Amino acid sequence: MNLATPVRANERVVPTLESLSASQIAAIRAIPSHDHSEIRAIEASRPASIFTDPARFALEQETVFQALPVPITMSAVIPKPGNLIATDAYGRNIIVARGKDGVVRAFLNACSHKGSKLIETSEPQSASRLVCPYHAWTFGLDGKVLGVPRAETFANLCKADRPLAQLECLEKGGIVWVGLDRNRSYDFGTLDDQLEIDFEAFNLPRMHLYGRKVFDLKANWKLVLEPFLEGYHVQRLHAASVGPLFADVPSTVSLLGRNIRQTSGKQAFTPDILDIPGENIHKSVTHAYQVFPNLVVVTSPYYISIMILAPRAADRTIVDYMMLTREAPDNPKAEELFSRSYEMILNVFGGEDFRAAQISQEGLSSGALENVIYCGLEEMIPTFYGMLEKQMGI
């Protein structure tokens, strides 16, 4: 296994070609010059009902989101012992906490006395223990009961018998994965090792959370995902923002298990750029990862965008957007750069990509189309749906 050289915590580094994994470098070297790019014509479609049918949504929930580990947050959100966050993005109230031992664990956000929520906000926070706001039962970040007020009034109470309900959980490659159903056993071995290698090369597990925003969208989760699987929309939907930065050509695609890595040269890309010593590789090359089933990772020169798309209904998706930087800003120039970048990317994703998903949902819900069709610049969308449908058994 070829791992890139690990980067020490808080080490300042420019992401160069040499800092990437061997697989990432090979994909970048395979990008042709724009005038030699070839676009295939394809014939592909899917029924419009996959975005609107409640029965289809229920089947996805049963066979995908309940059956597989799903991303719940990023390591950067809870980087230190005592850090924790609560979320209900998937329709379950869950606490994710990093214990004193550095291990990340996930629990249902319910006191083991009478079920009261222990944490009522969704912002990252720090605590040495969890205290129920109702009767002040106290729990460690390992889920064990630490204290019960007036314990002598509970006949035969054994604190060891009433820990918080724990969910299976694994931290890998800077992503925290959970199994949503505490009555199932999950196979975390299906998580692709190359993804971990790639994300270690980005230093993703040790990046700084600069900004986070949660979007509640009136759109099917797949419509939210689709723009990040294709370049067809970029020069059109983003014509007034980032579109001019990108060429209207296909990406170099690598399938990493069920995950899709797209490697794209920007508008000014030429292969000789790759040999400039010390050059920030993300100024000329963009990586976009679709991590199965519902995580998106997109690189930029000075930050990485993360999106967890949590389906809540056939026409509703909660998107947890996180902007990660290689270090916290420590001077006014860095703060200005990150702040401007954060405002820009929220406008692009929120005001353009997410808006496109919502207006598509409105149109499809009208019954106007029996199916949707895809072109050669959208080829990874039907590829993704093939993997999704295989998981669903259809």
Side-chain angles (χ1 to χ4, degrees):
M1 192 178 295
N2 188 352
L3 279 167
T5 303
V7 180
R8 295 189 300 273
N10 299 322
E11 182 179 350
R12 289 184 180 274
V13 63
V14 173
T16 62
L17 182 69
E18 293 74 20
S19 71
L20 300 179
S21 73
S23 177
Q24 290 168 321
I25 293 171
I28 291 171
R29 292 282 185 192
I31 301 173
S33 58
H34 296 327
D35 57 349
H36 286 87
S37 291
E38 296 182 3
I39 304 175
R40 288 191 338 124
I42 66 170
E43 184 176 359
S45 66
R46 284 299 186 277
S49 61
I50 71 170
F51 306 108
T52 60
D53 182 9
R56 165 67 185 239
F57 176 82
L59 184 61
E60 290 174 349
Q61 288 293 302
E62 177 186 349
T63 60
V64 180
F65 293 96
Q66 303 299 320
L68 299 175
V70 294
I72 192 78
T73 192
M74 303 298 291
S75 301
V77 176
I78 49 170
K80 299 177 181 178
N83 291 167
L84 56 96
I85 190 169
T87 178
D88 65 351
Y90 289 100
R92 279 179 171 77
N93 292 307
I94 297 172
I95 297 171
V96 184
R98 190 178 297 277
K100 294 179 181 179
D101 55 3
V103 175
V104 175
R105 299 177 179 86
F107 308 96
L108 293 178
N109 188 3
C111 178
S112 59
H113 172 213
K114 294 177 70 174
S116 173
K117 288 177 69 174
L118 298 170
I119 300 177
E120 299 174 78
T121 68
S122 60
E123 295 302 314
Q125 54 188 280
S126 297
S128 60
R129 59 189 59 196
L130 302 171
V131 181
C132 179
Y134 196 174
H135 296 97
W137 279 42
T138 304
F139 302 85
L141 299 186
D142 58 1
K144 295 178 181 178
V145 178
L146 298 179
V148 175
R150 298 302 304 272
E152 75 278 6
T153 65
F154 292 89
N156 301 315
L157 173 67
C158 177
K159 291 189 291 186
D161 292 339
R162 300 199 73 85
L164 297 178
Q166 190 164 353
L167 301 175
E168 291 189 19
C169 178
L170 177 71
E171 184 178 27
K172 183 173 182 176
I175 306 165
V176 179
W177 300 84
V178 300
L180 295 175
D181 186 345
R182 64 185 295 244
N183 297 313
R184 292 194 190 200
S185 180
Y186 288 87
D187 180 8
F188 290 88
T190 60
L191 304 178
D192 188 80
D193 288 338
Q194 185 60 51
L195 273 181
E196 182 178 17
I197 295 169
D198 283 11
F199 292 165
E200 281 287 345
F202 289 155
N203 203 32
L204 198 67
R206 290 163 292 279
M207 292 186 78
H208 168 72
L209 176 67
Y210 177 81
R212 174 173 176 258
K213 183 176 176 62
V214 176
F215 295 84
D216 191 341
L217 303 179
K218 295 178 180 178
N220 185 275
W221 70 280
K222 298 184 296 298
L223 289 177
V224 181
L225 175 62
E226 282 197 1
F228 302 101
L229 285 168
E230 52 96 346
Y232 184 39
H233 75 286
V234 174
Q235 289 196 359
R236 297 149 189 99
L237 178 65
H238 302 310
S241 56
V242 298
L245 299 175
F246 295 89
D248 203 24
V249 297
S251 301
T252 297
V253 174
S254 307
L255 299 182
L256 312 177
R258 290 188 290 189
N259 312 292
I260 299 172
R261 181 181 67 200
Q262 298 171 93
T263 309
S264 308
K266 293 184 178 178
Q267 185 67 265
F269 173 85
T270 57
D272 59 289
I273 289 178
L274 302 178
D275 298 316
I276 300 175
E279 181 75 0
N280 184 332
I281 190 63
H282 293 141
K283 288 184 177 180
S284 55
V285 172
T286 296
H287 288 97
Y289 290 79
Q290 188 282 315
V291 183
F292 194 85
N294 63 319
L295 177 74
V296 175
V297 178
V298 182
T299 62
S300 296
Y302 304 107
Y303 60 94
I304 293 180
S305 290
I306 309 290
M307 283 161 277
I308 298 175
L309 318 181
R312 290 297 295 271
D315 59 355
R316 184 185 177 205
T317 304
I318 305 298
V319 178
D320 191 351
Y321 172 80
M322 290 156 277
M323 175 176 153
L324 307 186
T325 56
R326 292 171 184 88
E327 60 271 322
D330 59 2
N331 60 75
K333 184 177 179 180
E335 174 58 37
E336 180 186 5
L337 172 64
F338 293 167
S339 176
R340 190 162 20 92
S341 298
Y342 186 58
E343 180 181 3
M344 181 275 295
I345 204 66
L346 289 182
N347 288 336
V348 171
F349 289 159
E352 297 175 5
D353 291 291
F354 298 165
R355 171 178 166 269
Q358 292 188 116
I359 62 177
S360 295
Q361 187 72 44
E362 289 186 46
L364 291 171
S365 297
S366 73
L369 280 70
E370 291 188 1
N371 64 15
V372 296
I373 59 175
Y374 301 102
C375 73
L377 285 169
E378 301 173 295
E379 191 169 4
M380 284 304 102
I381 297 176
T383 297
F384 169 74
Y385 288 150
M387 292 186 284
L388 181 65
E389 289 152 7
K390 183 176 180 180
Q391 173 64 32
M392 295 171 66
I394 60 175

